[in-house]
Amino acid sequence: MKKHILPFKWEEGPQTTRINSAGNEIILIDQPVVLSVLDYPLKVDVTMAIFCFKGNTKMTINLKPYETEEPCLIILLPGQILECKHVSSDFSALFIIMSHRFTENLQIEERFPAFLSIQKNPYVKLNNSEMEAFVDYCRMMKNTVDNNKNPYYLQIAKYLTKAFFYGFGYNIHIQQENQVVKKPKQHILVEKFLQLLQKYYTRHRSINFYATNLSLTPKYLSKVIKENSGLSASEWIDNHVILEAKALLKSTDMTIQQISDKLNFPSQSFFGKYFKRLENMSPSEYRKGGLTP
């Protein structure tokens, strides 16, 4: 059975790209090989740490916009959907790609504060000492994966990464906690709606479902969401569904019927009409190369 999420197309990157890898468990890549080839939404099935030395980007992660500036760290988790809107010509970065099996073996507590902080905000601006710490980690990881004659090199990579998450990751959590400000109740409601939406959008497209879960009337929920986010609740729902559909169409080998089933449409025909209404093209046209203007 084929993997649903296809691997990144490393071969499409610049010829100057340098790749260090430990089998398919962990891969280190120099230069902007990933961001430079992503002109469509990509749903990742790996954990990806992007350390940006130079340049800037505009991207969305699960529809949330980010404008990144050097030096910074961006961490993508499995299941998240990345869209690159802009990558500066001077962009330079190191990518560390970790397989699902590798990160599972790290056995990092899911309630570890840094893990929760990364889920909320995957973009972190770095100061000089944090940048030096990351450079040291990358250097040690490169040396480790290059020395694959050592039968324990994967275990060394595992413990280096685990130490990095617990050490440097704690600083990420503290930095983000210090930036927390008291938010108006309506902004908190929007966040709760979006959190629910992220969890249930593949199964529920009705505003009534979200209003019920938030103990509100659909009319009041719609009013608050529109006034505080600029989009209606229905638009947020449609945007999440369409983004998932695009990512699955472009970055997986799933059939259109399988995608329709995954998104809980009653039929492939119903899914096709829904997609065409919002994107002005059919799912098959989008898969073949069509891009929304």
Side-chain angles (χ1 to χ4, degrees):
M1 183 177 179
K2 288 185 179 180
K3 262 179 87 175
H4 281 329
I5 306 298
L6 298 178
F8 295 101
K9 297 178 181 178
W10 312 122
E11 69 276 6
E12 293 183 13
Q15 295 300 311
T16 56
T17 296
R18 296 181 296 279
I19 299 177
N20 306 77
S21 67
N24 291 319
E25 301 296 318
I26 186 164
I27 303 171
L28 286 78
I29 304 175
D30 286 328
Q31 303 304 324
V33 57
V34 178
L35 297 184
S36 64
V37 301
L38 291 186
D39 57 358
Y40 54 83
L42 177 73
K43 185 170 185 177
V44 298
D45 68 339
V46 294
T47 297
M48 179 161 61
I50 307 170
F51 176 58
C52 172
F53 300 94
K54 190 173 178 59
N56 58 78
T57 72
K58 290 182 181 179
M59 63 175 66
T60 66
I61 299 172
N62 286 351
L63 284 175
K64 186 174 180 180
Y66 295 93
E67 293 189 18
T68 72
E69 295 179 351
E70 61 180 83
C72 68
L73 176 65
I74 305 159
I75 298 182
L76 298 171
L77 300 174
Q80 292 183 326
I81 299 177
L82 168 69
E83 282 187 286
C84 287
K85 305 292 187 181
H86 168 76
V87 180
S88 66
S89 58
D90 63 343
F91 181 82
S92 178
L94 175 70
F95 297 80
I96 300 179
I97 317 296
M98 292 170 274
S99 72
H100 182 65
R101 182 166 64 177
F102 182 84
T103 52
E104 268 196 339
N105 287 337
L106 293 178
Q107 297 178 325
I108 294 175
E109 292 288 337
E110 287 200 356
R111 296 195 64 80
F112 175 53
F115 184 85
L116 298 175
S117 295
I118 289 167
Q119 287 182 310
K120 292 178 182 176
N121 188 3
Y123 163 61
V124 182
K125 195 83 169 67
L126 301 178
N127 59 36
N128 289 336
S129 62
E130 290 166 340
M131 182 171 63
E132 289 173 6
F134 197 88
V135 169
D136 287 341
Y137 164 72
C138 293
R139 176 178 50 77
M140 289 187 287
M141 283 299 297
K142 282 185 177 181
N143 291 338
T144 298
V145 299
D146 283 346
N147 189 23
N148 54 22
K149 290 182 180 179
N150 183 334
Y152 304 107
Y153 77 101
L154 271 179
Q155 287 91 328
I156 296 170
K158 169 186 170 181
Y159 287 112
L160 278 174
T161 303
K162 194 166 185 175
F164 172 75
F165 267 98
Y166 276 107
F168 181 69
Y170 179 74
N171 293 337
I172 294 175
H173 170 66
I174 294 300
Q175 181 186 138
Q176 293 185 0
E177 285 295 298
N178 289 338
Q179 293 172 352
V180 172
V181 295
K182 191 171 182 180
K183 299 176 182 177
K185 288 183 179 179
Q186 290 194 337
H187 288 188
I188 294 172
L189 178 57
V190 171
E191 288 186 356
K192 287 182 177 179
F193 165 72
L194 292 177
Q195 287 168 4
L196 272 177
L197 182 58
Q198 187 60 43
K199 187 176 181 180
Y200 292 112
Y201 70 90
T202 60
R203 285 174 279 172
H204 298 283
R205 292 185 293 277
S206 166
I207 298 175
N208 290 351
F209 171 82
Y210 298 98
T212 299
N213 273 271
L214 293 168
S215 302
L216 301 169
T217 65
K219 184 177 180 180
Y220 179 74
L221 176 62
S222 297
K223 177 176 180 291
V224 172
I225 299 302
K226 178 70 173 179
E227 289 178 352
N228 290 274
S229 74
L231 296 176
S232 69
S234 294
E235 287 173 324
W236 275 113
I237 294 169
D238 286 342
N239 286 349
H240 273 74
V241 175
I242 284 296
L243 182 65
E244 177 83 6
K246 285 180 172 181
L248 294 174
L249 285 165
K250 283 289 192 177
S251 61
T252 81
D253 59 357
M254 295 173 71
T255 66
I256 293 175
Q257 179 65 62
Q258 287 172 327
I259 294 171
S260 172
D261 292 342
K262 181 177 175 62
L263 294 174
N264 285 285
F265 282 91
S267 67
Q268 181 177 330
S269 173
F270 194 95
F271 168 61
K273 290 176 182 177
Y274 177 90
F275 191 95
K276 190 162 188 175
R277 173 172 64 84
L278 295 170
E279 294 300 311
N280 296 315
M281 66 180 74
S282 69
S284 59
E285 287 172 334
Y286 180 80
R287 170 166 269 176
K288 288 175 184 176
L291 292 173
T292 305

